Amino acid sequence: EIVLTQSPGTLSLSPGERATLSCRASQSISNSYLAWYQQKPGQAPRLLIYGASNRATGTPDRFSGSGSGTDFTLTISRLEPEDFAVYYCQQYVDSPRTFGQGTKLEIK
Amino acid sequence: QVQLVQSGVEVKNPGASVKVSCKASGYIFADYYIHWMRQAPGQGLEWMGWITPSSGVIGYAQKFQGRVTMTRDTSINTAYMEVSSLTSDDTAVYFCARGSASTGGGSLPFNYWGQGTLVTVSS
């Protein structure tokens, strides 16, 4: 099973600042089958990034993903008020599909 | 447009079973895997397993083997997930999501999700 470890657990920033979220895998994720999801309270997760760096339809361009192998990053260039939420990484190369434990992005 | 619509809130006693449905529309139901996840209050996402609607082939997370049953009814484009022997630890929001194409073409992330079904287990 591929274990995904996200850091930090909580990130406190102000609107307009840059956010950098990390996801580390216990083994290499082939084909960069790594996705990022955003989840707001009471809602289902929303796909933001797939294939480590491809924005899903409707994802604003202030969101970018990078990385390969075992280290991946989600960057939000300039935080908007609606970006404060919980973010999960997920690998979809192997079964069981696994998620990171999440990073909560909160307003400072 | 692709939609997954889940059944409503459930309240169950410990030891009971619960069956959650996920009705698909806007695409060919048989062509894509359906995955199930759950999220306990204040916790992260936990993957439970998948079903191939076309063939009924299933894969479960080891944790849920023997206590979770996934089925589908292709005549009404609906997938089901049943959990038996419920305990308070099963209190969670349960989600279905569309996964990869069963006809091939590489693995896909979960681009479409149901709205979630809250299952509360309490005496």
PDB file of all heavy atoms in Angstrom, chain A residues 45-83:
ATOM      1  N   PRO A  45     -15.315  16.291  -1.875  1.00  0.00           N
ATOM      2  CA  PRO A  45     -14.046  16.792  -2.434  1.00  0.00           C
ATOM      3  C   PRO A  45     -14.228  17.177  -3.899  1.00  0.00           C
ATOM      4  O   PRO A  45     -15.058  16.625  -4.617  1.00  0.00           O
ATOM      5  CB  PRO A  45     -13.110  15.595  -2.292  1.00  0.00           C
ATOM      6  CG  PRO A  45     -13.686  14.786  -1.176  1.00  0.00           C
ATOM      7  CD  PRO A  45     -15.167  14.939  -1.318  1.00  0.00           C
ATOM      8  N   ARG A  46     -13.400  18.125  -4.312  1.00  0.00           N
ATOM      9  CA  ARG A  46     -13.406  18.611  -5.694  1.00  0.00           C
ATOM     10  C   ARG A  46     -12.022  18.400  -6.268  1.00  0.00           C
ATOM     11  O   ARG A  46     -11.027  18.824  -5.682  1.00  0.00           O
ATOM     12  CB  ARG A  46     -13.779  20.084  -5.738  1.00  0.00           C
ATOM     13  CG  ARG A  46     -13.568  20.781  -7.070  1.00  0.00           C
ATOM     14  CD  ARG A  46     -13.573  22.302  -6.895  1.00  0.00           C
ATOM     15  NE  ARG A  46     -13.119  22.988  -8.097  1.00  0.00           N
ATOM     16  CZ  ARG A  46     -12.734  24.251  -8.133  1.00  0.00           C
ATOM     17  NH1 ARG A  46     -12.759  24.965  -7.032  1.00  0.00           N
ATOM     18  NH2 ARG A  46     -12.352  24.796  -9.269  1.00  0.00           N
ATOM     19  N   LEU A  47     -11.941  17.765  -7.432  1.00  0.00           N
ATOM     20  CA  LEU A  47     -10.654  17.541  -8.085  1.00  0.00           C
ATOM     21  C   LEU A  47     -10.070  18.860  -8.576  1.00  0.00           C
ATOM     22  O   LEU A  47     -10.726  19.610  -9.299  1.00  0.00           O
ATOM     23  CB  LEU A  47     -10.821  16.574  -9.260  1.00  0.00           C
ATOM     24  CG  LEU A  47      -9.570  16.292 -10.089  1.00  0.00           C
ATOM     25  CD1 LEU A  47      -8.538  15.515  -9.268  1.00  0.00           C
ATOM     26  CD2 LEU A  47      -9.928  15.522 -11.359  1.00  0.00           C
ATOM     27  N   LEU A  48      -8.818  19.142  -8.167  1.00  0.00           N
ATOM     28  CA  LEU A  48      -8.121  20.351  -8.619  1.00  0.00           C
ATOM     29  C   LEU A  48      -7.053  20.032  -9.657  1.00  0.00           C
ATOM     30  O   LEU A  48      -6.948  20.708 -10.682  1.00  0.00           O
ATOM     31  CB  LEU A  48      -7.435  21.031  -7.425  1.00  0.00           C
ATOM     32  CG  LEU A  48      -8.283  21.664  -6.335  1.00  0.00           C
ATOM     33  CD1 LEU A  48      -7.359  22.183  -5.229  1.00  0.00           C
ATOM     34  CD2 LEU A  48      -9.138  22.781  -6.895  1.00  0.00           C
ATOM     35  N   ILE A  49      -6.211  19.059  -9.322  1.00  0.00           N
ATOM     36  CA  ILE A  49      -5.027  18.732 -10.107  1.00  0.00           C
ATOM     37  C   ILE A  49      -4.976  17.224 -10.308  1.00  0.00           C
ATOM     38  O   ILE A  49      -5.254  16.457  -9.378  1.00  0.00           O
ATOM     39  CB  ILE A  49      -3.743  19.173  -9.373  1.00  0.00           C
ATOM     40  CG1 ILE A  49      -3.717  20.677  -9.109  1.00  0.00           C
ATOM     41  CG2 ILE A  49      -2.490  18.716 -10.129  1.00  0.00           C
ATOM     42  CD1 ILE A  49      -3.449  21.545 -10.322  1.00  0.00           C
ATOM     43  N   TYR A  50      -4.610  16.776 -11.515  1.00  0.00           N
ATOM     44  CA  TYR A  50      -4.403  15.364 -11.765  1.00  0.00           C
ATOM     45  C   TYR A  50      -3.106  15.198 -12.553  1.00  0.00           C
ATOM     46  O   TYR A  50      -2.591  16.172 -13.126  1.00  0.00           O
ATOM     47  CB  TYR A  50      -5.588  14.752 -12.535  1.00  0.00           C
ATOM     48  CG  TYR A  50      -5.763  15.319 -13.937  1.00  0.00           C
ATOM     49  CD1 TYR A  50      -5.212  14.656 -15.036  1.00  0.00           C
ATOM     50  CD2 TYR A  50      -6.441  16.505 -14.143  1.00  0.00           C
ATOM     51  CE1 TYR A  50      -5.349  15.168 -16.308  1.00  0.00           C
ATOM     52  CE2 TYR A  50      -6.588  17.034 -15.406  1.00  0.00           C
ATOM     53  CZ  TYR A  50      -6.046  16.354 -16.489  1.00  0.00           C
ATOM     54  OH  TYR A  50      -6.184  16.883 -17.745  1.00  0.00           O
ATOM     55  N   GLY A  51      -2.587  13.985 -12.552  1.00  0.00           N
ATOM     56  CA  GLY A  51      -1.308  13.760 -13.220  1.00  0.00           C
ATOM     57  C   GLY A  51      -0.214  14.657 -12.661  1.00  0.00           C
ATOM     58  O   GLY A  51       0.699  15.057 -13.388  1.00  0.00           O
ATOM     59  N   ALA A  52      -0.315  14.956 -11.381  1.00  0.00           N
ATOM     60  CA  ALA A  52       0.649  15.775 -10.614  1.00  0.00           C
ATOM     61  C   ALA A  52       0.643  17.249 -10.979  1.00  0.00           C
ATOM     62  O   ALA A  52       0.892  18.104 -10.111  1.00  0.00           O
ATOM     63  CB  ALA A  52       2.077  15.225 -10.726  1.00  0.00           C
ATOM     64  N   SER A  53       0.363  17.589 -12.245  1.00  0.00           N
ATOM     65  CA  SER A  53       0.537  18.985 -12.648  1.00  0.00           C
ATOM     66  C   SER A  53      -0.522  19.517 -13.604  1.00  0.00           C
ATOM     67  O   SER A  53      -0.406  20.656 -14.077  1.00  0.00           O
ATOM     68  CB  SER A  53       1.917  19.157 -13.307  1.00  0.00           C
ATOM     69  OG  SER A  53       2.013  18.342 -14.450  1.00  0.00           O
ATOM     70  N   ASN A  54      -1.534  18.733 -13.889  1.00  0.00           N
ATOM     71  CA  ASN A  54      -2.573  19.164 -14.837  1.00  0.00           C
ATOM     72  C   ASN A  54      -3.786  19.700 -14.086  1.00  0.00           C
ATOM     73  O   ASN A  54      -4.350  19.003 -13.224  1.00  0.00           O
ATOM     74  CB  ASN A  54      -3.004  17.987 -15.711  1.00  0.00           C
ATOM     75  CG  ASN A  54      -1.844  17.397 -16.482  1.00  0.00           C
ATOM     76  OD1 ASN A  54      -1.325  18.014 -17.412  1.00  0.00           O
ATOM     77  ND2 ASN A  54      -1.417  16.212 -16.095  1.00  0.00           N
ATOM     78  N   ARG A  55      -4.180  20.926 -14.429  1.00  0.00           N
ATOM     79  CA  ARG A  55      -5.360  21.484 -13.785  1.00  0.00           C
ATOM     80  C   ARG A  55      -6.625  20.849 -14.338  1.00  0.00           C
ATOM     81  O   ARG A  55      -6.793  20.731 -15.558  1.00  0.00           O
ATOM     82  CB  ARG A  55      -5.417  23.000 -13.975  1.00  0.00           C
ATOM     83  CG  ARG A  55      -4.516  23.769 -13.007  1.00  0.00           C
ATOM     84  CD  ARG A  55      -4.739  25.280 -13.133  1.00  0.00           C
ATOM     85  NE  ARG A  55      -4.193  25.787 -14.388  1.00  0.00           N
ATOM     86  CZ  ARG A  55      -2.947  26.176 -14.552  1.00  0.00           C
ATOM     87  NH1 ARG A  55      -2.099  26.125 -13.539  1.00  0.00           N
ATOM     88  NH2 ARG A  55      -2.546  26.631 -15.727  1.00  0.00           N
ATOM     89  N   ALA A  56      -7.529  20.456 -13.433  1.00  0.00           N
ATOM     90  CA  ALA A  56      -8.823  19.948 -13.851  1.00  0.00           C
ATOM     91  C   ALA A  56      -9.664  21.098 -14.408  1.00  0.00           C
ATOM     92  O   ALA A  56      -9.385  22.280 -14.146  1.00  0.00           O
ATOM     93  CB  ALA A  56      -9.533  19.284 -12.674  1.00  0.00           C
ATOM     94  N   THR A  57     -10.678  20.750 -15.163  1.00  0.00           N
ATOM     95  CA  THR A  57     -11.569  21.762 -15.719  1.00  0.00           C
ATOM     96  C   THR A  57     -12.118  22.643 -14.604  1.00  0.00           C
ATOM     97  O   THR A  57     -12.639  22.150 -13.599  1.00  0.00           O
ATOM     98  CB  THR A  57     -12.738  21.093 -16.467  1.00  0.00           C
ATOM     99  OG1 THR A  57     -12.222  20.258 -17.504  1.00  0.00           O
ATOM    100  CG2 THR A  57     -13.658  22.135 -17.073  1.00  0.00           C
ATOM    101  N   GLY A  58     -12.000  23.940 -14.784  1.00  0.00           N
ATOM    102  CA  GLY A  58     -12.543  24.876 -13.805  1.00  0.00           C
ATOM    103  C   GLY A  58     -11.588  25.264 -12.695  1.00  0.00           C
ATOM    104  O   GLY A  58     -11.914  26.132 -11.880  1.00  0.00           O
ATOM    105  N   THR A  59     -10.412  24.649 -12.638  1.00  0.00           N
ATOM    106  CA  THR A  59      -9.430  25.014 -11.607  1.00  0.00           C
ATOM    107  C   THR A  59      -8.731  26.311 -11.999  1.00  0.00           C
ATOM    108  O   THR A  59      -8.143  26.387 -13.079  1.00  0.00           O
ATOM    109  CB  THR A  59      -8.383  23.901 -11.438  1.00  0.00           C
ATOM    110  OG1 THR A  59      -9.016  22.682 -11.056  1.00  0.00           O
ATOM    111  CG2 THR A  59      -7.363  24.287 -10.367  1.00  0.00           C
ATOM    112  N   PRO A  60      -8.794  27.329 -11.127  1.00  0.00           N
ATOM    113  CA  PRO A  60      -8.140  28.603 -11.451  1.00  0.00           C
ATOM    114  C   PRO A  60      -6.631  28.430 -11.637  1.00  0.00           C
ATOM    115  O   PRO A  60      -6.024  27.557 -11.020  1.00  0.00           O
ATOM    116  CB  PRO A  60      -8.430  29.468 -10.225  1.00  0.00           C
ATOM    117  CG  PRO A  60      -9.628  28.854  -9.587  1.00  0.00           C
ATOM    118  CD  PRO A  60      -9.516  27.386  -9.843  1.00  0.00           C
ATOM    119  N   ASP A  61      -6.039  29.293 -12.463  1.00  0.00           N
ATOM    120  CA  ASP A  61      -4.620  29.108 -12.768  1.00  0.00           C
ATOM    121  C   ASP A  61      -3.700  29.540 -11.628  1.00  0.00           C
ATOM    122  O   ASP A  61      -2.474  29.393 -11.739  1.00  0.00           O
ATOM    123  CB  ASP A  61      -4.234  29.792 -14.077  1.00  0.00           C
ATOM    124  CG  ASP A  61      -4.498  31.286 -14.063  1.00  0.00           C
ATOM    125  OD1 ASP A  61      -4.828  31.839 -12.988  1.00  0.00           O
ATOM    126  OD2 ASP A  61      -4.382  31.905 -15.139  1.00  0.00           O
ATOM    127  N   ARG A  62      -4.253  30.045 -10.535  1.00  0.00           N
ATOM    128  CA  ARG A  62      -3.401  30.322  -9.368  1.00  0.00           C
ATOM    129  C   ARG A  62      -3.008  29.005  -8.654  1.00  0.00           C
ATOM    130  O   ARG A  62      -2.105  29.012  -7.827  1.00  0.00           O
ATOM    131  CB  ARG A  62      -4.085  31.268  -8.379  1.00  0.00           C
ATOM    132  CG  ARG A  62      -5.365  30.750  -7.768  1.00  0.00           C
ATOM    133  CD  ARG A  62      -5.962  31.801  -6.815  1.00  0.00           C
ATOM    134  NE  ARG A  62      -7.201  31.332  -6.190  1.00  0.00           N
ATOM    135  CZ  ARG A  62      -8.389  31.472  -6.749  1.00  0.00           C
ATOM    136  NH1 ARG A  62      -8.512  32.068  -7.925  1.00  0.00           N
ATOM    137  NH2 ARG A  62      -9.476  31.030  -6.116  1.00  0.00           N
ATOM    138  N   PHE A  63      -3.682  27.922  -9.014  1.00  0.00           N
ATOM    139  CA  PHE A  63      -3.334  26.612  -8.482  1.00  0.00           C
ATOM    140  C   PHE A  63      -2.364  25.920  -9.450  1.00  0.00           C
ATOM    141  O   PHE A  63      -2.630  25.847 -10.657  1.00  0.00           O
ATOM    142  CB  PHE A  63      -4.579  25.721  -8.333  1.00  0.00           C
ATOM    143  CG  PHE A  63      -5.520  26.141  -7.238  1.00  0.00           C
ATOM    144  CD1 PHE A  63      -6.527  27.055  -7.490  1.00  0.00           C
ATOM    145  CD2 PHE A  63      -5.409  25.603  -5.967  1.00  0.00           C
ATOM    146  CE1 PHE A  63      -7.402  27.458  -6.483  1.00  0.00           C
ATOM    147  CE2 PHE A  63      -6.283  25.982  -4.949  1.00  0.00           C
ATOM    148  CZ  PHE A  63      -7.275  26.911  -5.219  1.00  0.00           C
ATOM    149  N   SER A  64      -1.272  25.393  -8.913  1.00  0.00           N
ATOM    150  CA  SER A  64      -0.355  24.631  -9.748  1.00  0.00           C
ATOM    151  C   SER A  64       0.186  23.446  -8.959  1.00  0.00           C
ATOM    152  O   SER A  64       0.352  23.519  -7.739  1.00  0.00           O
ATOM    153  CB  SER A  64       0.792  25.505 -10.259  1.00  0.00           C
ATOM    154  OG  SER A  64       1.568  25.982  -9.181  1.00  0.00           O
ATOM    155  N   GLY A  65       0.429  22.364  -9.685  1.00  0.00           N
ATOM    156  CA  GLY A  65       0.989  21.178  -9.074  1.00  0.00           C
ATOM    157  C   GLY A  65       2.310  20.833  -9.720  1.00  0.00           C
ATOM    158  O   GLY A  65       2.525  21.098 -10.905  1.00  0.00           O
ATOM    159  N   SER A  66       3.195  20.241  -8.918  1.00  0.00           N
ATOM    160  CA  SER A  66       4.500  19.851  -9.440  1.00  0.00           C
ATOM    161  C   SER A  66       4.979  18.608  -8.691  1.00  0.00           C
ATOM    162  O   SER A  66       4.386  18.190  -7.694  1.00  0.00           O
ATOM    163  CB  SER A  66       5.510  20.987  -9.293  1.00  0.00           C
ATOM    164  OG  SER A  66       5.697  21.308  -7.916  1.00  0.00           O
ATOM    165  N   GLY A  67       6.061  18.047  -9.210  1.00  0.00           N
ATOM    166  CA  GLY A  67       6.676  16.910  -8.560  1.00  0.00           C
ATOM    167  C   GLY A  67       6.588  15.643  -9.376  1.00  0.00           C
ATOM    168  O   GLY A  67       5.875  15.558 -10.383  1.00  0.00           O
ATOM    169  N   SER A  68       7.324  14.645  -8.911  1.00  0.00           N
ATOM    170  CA  SER A  68       7.334  13.327  -9.535  1.00  0.00           C
ATOM    171  C   SER A  68       7.958  12.343  -8.562  1.00  0.00           C
ATOM    172  O   SER A  68       8.561  12.755  -7.560  1.00  0.00           O
ATOM    173  CB  SER A  68       8.113  13.343 -10.852  1.00  0.00           C
ATOM    174  OG  SER A  68       9.467  13.648 -10.599  1.00  0.00           O
ATOM    175  N   GLY A  69       7.805  11.064  -8.875  1.00  0.00           N
ATOM    176  CA  GLY A  69       8.397  10.052  -8.011  1.00  0.00           C
ATOM    177  C   GLY A  69       7.694   9.964  -6.673  1.00  0.00           C
ATOM    178  O   GLY A  69       6.590   9.441  -6.586  1.00  0.00           O
ATOM    179  N   THR A  70       8.324  10.483  -5.625  1.00  0.00           N
ATOM    180  CA  THR A  70       7.749  10.410  -4.287  1.00  0.00           C
ATOM    181  C   THR A  70       7.420  11.774  -3.675  1.00  0.00           C
ATOM    182  O   THR A  70       6.810  11.823  -2.589  1.00  0.00           O
ATOM    183  CB  THR A  70       8.690   9.678  -3.313  1.00  0.00           C
ATOM    184  OG1 THR A  70       9.931  10.395  -3.240  1.00  0.00           O
ATOM    185  CG2 THR A  70       8.938   8.240  -3.760  1.00  0.00           C
ATOM    186  N   ASP A  71       7.807  12.860  -4.322  1.00  0.00           N
ATOM    187  CA  ASP A  71       7.596  14.194  -3.741  1.00  0.00           C
ATOM    188  C   ASP A  71       6.773  15.093  -4.659  1.00  0.00           C
ATOM    189  O   ASP A  71       7.156  15.316  -5.816  1.00  0.00           O
ATOM    190  CB  ASP A  71       8.946  14.852  -3.444  1.00  0.00           C
ATOM    191  CG  ASP A  71       9.641  14.184  -2.274  1.00  0.00           C
ATOM    192  OD1 ASP A  71       9.056  14.203  -1.172  1.00  0.00           O
ATOM    193  OD2 ASP A  71      10.748  13.649  -2.457  1.00  0.00           O
ATOM    194  N   PHE A  72       5.677  15.585  -4.119  1.00  0.00           N
ATOM    195  CA  PHE A  72       4.741  16.385  -4.888  1.00  0.00           C
ATOM    196  C   PHE A  72       4.347  17.631  -4.105  1.00  0.00           C
ATOM    197  O   PHE A  72       4.343  17.626  -2.859  1.00  0.00           O
ATOM    198  CB  PHE A  72       3.489  15.560  -5.213  1.00  0.00           C
ATOM    199  CG  PHE A  72       3.793  14.328  -6.023  1.00  0.00           C
ATOM    200  CD1 PHE A  72       4.129  13.137  -5.397  1.00  0.00           C
ATOM    201  CD2 PHE A  72       3.766  14.380  -7.411  1.00  0.00           C
ATOM    202  CE1 PHE A  72       4.426  12.003  -6.142  1.00  0.00           C
ATOM    203  CE2 PHE A  72       4.064  13.257  -8.161  1.00  0.00           C
ATOM    204  CZ  PHE A  72       4.400  12.069  -7.531  1.00  0.00           C
ATOM    205  N   THR A  73       4.025  18.679  -4.849  1.00  0.00           N
ATOM    206  CA  THR A  73       3.703  19.966  -4.234  1.00  0.00           C
ATOM    207  C   THR A  73       2.493  20.581  -4.912  1.00  0.00           C
ATOM    208  O   THR A  73       2.375  20.541  -6.144  1.00  0.00           O
ATOM    209  CB  THR A  73       4.897  20.936  -4.343  1.00  0.00           C
ATOM    210  OG1 THR A  73       6.031  20.362  -3.695  1.00  0.00           O
ATOM    211  CG2 THR A  73       4.576  22.278  -3.695  1.00  0.00           C
ATOM    212  N   LEU A  74       1.612  21.151  -4.107  1.00  0.00           N
ATOM    213  CA  LEU A  74       0.519  21.989  -4.595  1.00  0.00           C
ATOM    214  C   LEU A  74       0.828  23.416  -4.161  1.00  0.00           C
ATOM    215  O   LEU A  74       1.062  23.669  -2.977  1.00  0.00           O
ATOM    216  CB  LEU A  74      -0.827  21.549  -4.008  1.00  0.00           C
ATOM    217  CG  LEU A  74      -2.027  22.432  -4.367  1.00  0.00           C
ATOM    218  CD1 LEU A  74      -2.365  22.308  -5.840  1.00  0.00           C
ATOM    219  CD2 LEU A  74      -3.246  22.074  -3.501  1.00  0.00           C
ATOM    220  N   THR A  75       0.818  24.327  -5.122  1.00  0.00           N
ATOM    221  CA  THR A  75       1.100  25.739  -4.838  1.00  0.00           C
ATOM    222  C   THR A  75      -0.108  26.576  -5.226  1.00  0.00           C
ATOM    223  O   THR A  75      -0.684  26.388  -6.299  1.00  0.00           O
ATOM    224  CB  THR A  75       2.338  26.217  -5.613  1.00  0.00           C
ATOM    225  OG1 THR A  75       3.464  25.410  -5.254  1.00  0.00           O
ATOM    226  CG2 THR A  75       2.644  27.679  -5.282  1.00  0.00           C
ATOM    227  N   ILE A  76      -0.489  27.462  -4.334  1.00  0.00           N
ATOM    228  CA  ILE A  76      -1.520  28.459  -4.628  1.00  0.00           C
ATOM    229  C   ILE A  76      -0.814  29.802  -4.619  1.00  0.00           C
ATOM    230  O   ILE A  76      -0.309  30.247  -3.580  1.00  0.00           O
ATOM    231  CB  ILE A  76      -2.662  28.419  -3.597  1.00  0.00           C
ATOM    232  CG1 ILE A  76      -3.148  26.983  -3.390  1.00  0.00           C
ATOM    233  CG2 ILE A  76      -3.827  29.311  -4.065  1.00  0.00           C
ATOM    234  CD1 ILE A  76      -4.139  26.806  -2.246  1.00  0.00           C
ATOM    235  N   SER A  77      -0.754  30.453  -5.764  1.00  0.00           N
ATOM    236  CA  SER A  77       0.139  31.609  -5.919  1.00  0.00           C
ATOM    237  C   SER A  77      -0.307  32.807  -5.087  1.00  0.00           C
ATOM    238  O   SER A  77       0.520  33.453  -4.439  1.00  0.00           O
ATOM    239  CB  SER A  77       0.246  31.990  -7.393  1.00  0.00           C
ATOM    240  OG  SER A  77      -1.043  32.296  -7.906  1.00  0.00           O
ATOM    241  N   ARG A  78      -1.582  33.125  -5.107  1.00  0.00           N
ATOM    242  CA  ARG A  78      -2.108  34.264  -4.339  1.00  0.00           C
ATOM    243  C   ARG A  78      -3.457  33.834  -3.771  1.00  0.00           C
ATOM    244  O   ARG A  78      -4.421  33.640  -4.507  1.00  0.00           O
ATOM    245  CB  ARG A  78      -2.305  35.501  -5.214  1.00  0.00           C
ATOM    246  CG  ARG A  78      -1.024  36.115  -5.755  1.00  0.00           C
ATOM    247  CD  ARG A  78      -1.340  37.227  -6.763  1.00  0.00           C
ATOM    248  NE  ARG A  78      -2.284  36.792  -7.783  1.00  0.00           N
ATOM    249  CZ  ARG A  78      -1.952  36.092  -8.844  1.00  0.00           C
ATOM    250  NH1 ARG A  78      -0.692  35.720  -9.022  1.00  0.00           N
ATOM    251  NH2 ARG A  78      -2.876  35.730  -9.736  1.00  0.00           N
ATOM    252  N   LEU A  79      -3.501  33.652  -2.487  1.00  0.00           N
ATOM    253  CA  LEU A  79      -4.694  33.100  -1.858  1.00  0.00           C
ATOM    254  C   LEU A  79      -5.893  34.037  -1.966  1.00  0.00           C
ATOM    255  O   LEU A  79      -5.799  35.241  -1.671  1.00  0.00           O
ATOM    256  CB  LEU A  79      -4.412  32.794  -0.381  1.00  0.00           C
ATOM    257  CG  LEU A  79      -3.557  31.542  -0.132  1.00  0.00           C
ATOM    258  CD1 LEU A  79      -3.035  31.533   1.296  1.00  0.00           C
ATOM    259  CD2 LEU A  79      -4.352  30.284  -0.441  1.00  0.00           C
ATOM    260  N   GLU A  80      -6.999  33.463  -2.381  1.00  0.00           N
ATOM    261  CA  GLU A  80      -8.279  34.148  -2.378  1.00  0.00           C
ATOM    262  C   GLU A  80      -9.081  33.634  -1.178  1.00  0.00           C
ATOM    263  O   GLU A  80      -8.836  32.529  -0.681  1.00  0.00           O
ATOM    264  CB  GLU A  80      -9.040  33.844  -3.675  1.00  0.00           C
ATOM    265  CG  GLU A  80      -8.356  34.341  -4.934  1.00  0.00           C
ATOM    266  CD  GLU A  80      -8.413  35.854  -5.072  1.00  0.00           C
ATOM    267  OE1 GLU A  80      -9.267  36.498  -4.407  1.00  0.00           O
ATOM    268  OE2 GLU A  80      -7.614  36.410  -5.853  1.00  0.00           O
ATOM    269  N   PRO A  81     -10.056  34.402  -0.705  1.00  0.00           N
ATOM    270  CA  PRO A  81     -10.833  33.967   0.480  1.00  0.00           C
ATOM    271  C   PRO A  81     -11.464  32.586   0.310  1.00  0.00           C
ATOM    272  O   PRO A  81     -11.549  31.825   1.282  1.00  0.00           O
ATOM    273  CB  PRO A  81     -11.897  35.060   0.609  1.00  0.00           C
ATOM    274  CG  PRO A  81     -11.263  36.269   0.015  1.00  0.00           C
ATOM    275  CD  PRO A  81     -10.417  35.771  -1.128  1.00  0.00           C
ATOM    276  N   GLU A  82     -11.861  32.246  -0.912  1.00  0.00           N
ATOM    277  CA  GLU A  82     -12.517  30.955  -1.144  1.00  0.00           C
ATOM    278  C   GLU A  82     -11.550  29.769  -1.162  1.00  0.00           C
ATOM    279  O   GLU A  82     -11.982  28.623  -1.257  1.00  0.00           O
ATOM    280  CB  GLU A  82     -13.312  30.983  -2.455  1.00  0.00           C
ATOM    281  CG  GLU A  82     -12.484  31.225  -3.704  1.00  0.00           C
ATOM    282  CD  GLU A  82     -12.406  32.701  -4.088  1.00  0.00           C
ATOM    283  OE1 GLU A  82     -12.494  33.575  -3.186  1.00  0.00           O
ATOM    284  OE2 GLU A  82     -12.251  32.974  -5.314  1.00  0.00           O
ATOM    285  N   ASP A  83     -10.248  30.037  -1.061  1.00  0.00           N
ATOM    286  CA  ASP A  83      -9.255  28.950  -1.103  1.00  0.00           C
ATOM    287  C   ASP A  83      -9.033  28.305   0.262  1.00  0.00           C
ATOM    288  O   ASP A  83      -8.368  27.264   0.351  1.00  0.00           O
ATOM    289  CB  ASP A  83      -7.918  29.469  -1.631  1.00  0.00           C
ATOM    290  CG  ASP A  83      -8.018  30.007  -3.046  1.00  0.00           C
ATOM    291  OD1 ASP A  83      -8.943  29.590  -3.784  1.00  0.00           O
ATOM    292  OD2 ASP A  83      -7.167  30.842  -3.413  1.00  0.00           O
TER     293      ASP A  83
END
